[in-house]
Amino acid sequence: LRQRFVGPRLVALERSLGQLGLGEQDIKELALAWQPTGELSLQVDVKDAGGDGGIVANTWPAYLDGLATGHFEMKEIAEHARDKHIATMFFNGRTAYCLQAGTSTCVVFVNQSLAVFGTRKSLLEILGAREGVGANLVSSPRLLTLLQGVSREASIWGIAIGSAAAEWFQGWLPGSGDLHLDWRRMLAPVESFQYSVETDDKLRLNLRLECKTTEAAVMLGQLLQGVRLVQQLVWQTERPNRMNPVQSWEVKIEGERVFVSATTSHEALVDQDIFPPRP
């Protein structure tokens, strides 16, 4: 999962943090957040850095912001920054180490177990939200409800509102490019989207899509069931000797919600043709 799904921009971020002496052993979890340019949508992804890896969208926004939890030795970090001649700034009285990770990225260590990273503008907004200035998750009951529904066992999970659901399907459904589907139009009735990935001997993906009406959910569920049949037919024709990761794709409709689940083996994920590297 780490090799196939961690995009270059996240790799660049990890390397930049390495300039401060931070390695894999120091970071427990990354929370990534962005708002795509020109889209009224929000998506959040979490990667358990000590476990099974991370997942990112196939089209990255202009900026990458988020939080990191772990163990951070403040004195050693300051020494690494000085030795590497890393520029420093001050945000709300806190020292920020400004790096380069695709775009200009700065890191502020709130304490020994929490760090905030992002553009200068994002850092001001994140730190301000933590201090009660501006919007935060507490002020968004909609996002809090989605967060409460996330599986505690999932090593990878994400939530999205608005058009981000279509972007996720377009980027991550194996073989979807062969179907030439207009996901944005198909998923227009979706108000929120939630996914989680659990890994043990197999990988289990669970999706939940909240629609505007019961009728919209029924129509979407039927469309997804049709997509499943077509995807399997295309897959057998185009890749007869390849394992189909979504062979067990199941769709269930409950009121205004549509649930999609799939279970696959780890072997089905290592095929370069199935999952090309994320841009």
Side-chain angles (χ1 to χ4, degrees), residues 77-116:
I77 289 172
E79 292 174 352
H80 275 281
R82 185 178 62 251
D83 294 341
K84 296 289 184 179
H85 304 289
I86 294 174
T88 59
M89 297 184 66
F90 291 94
F91 291 90
N92 296 8
R94 301 179 185 275
T95 301
Y97 302 98
C98 294
L99 315 164
Q100 289 292 329
T103 58
S104 180
T105 299
C106 296
V107 183
V108 173
F109 294 91
V110 178
N111 52 49
Q112 291 186 332
S113 61
L114 177 64
V116 179

Side-chain angles (χ1 to χ4, degrees), residues 209-245:
L209 300 103
E210 190 90 26
C211 296
K212 297 177 181 178
T213 64
T214 301
E215 294 75 14
V218 171
M219 182 174 295
L220 176 60
Q222 293 173 345
L223 284 172
L224 291 175
Q225 289 169 342
V227 168
R228 173 183 179 274
L229 295 176
V230 175
Q231 187 270 348
Q232 292 184 353
L233 178 61
V234 171
W235 191 277
Q236 292 172 2
T237 302
E238 301 292 334
R239 303 177 177 87
N241 299 318
R242 304 287 191 183
M243 290 184 290
N244 186 348

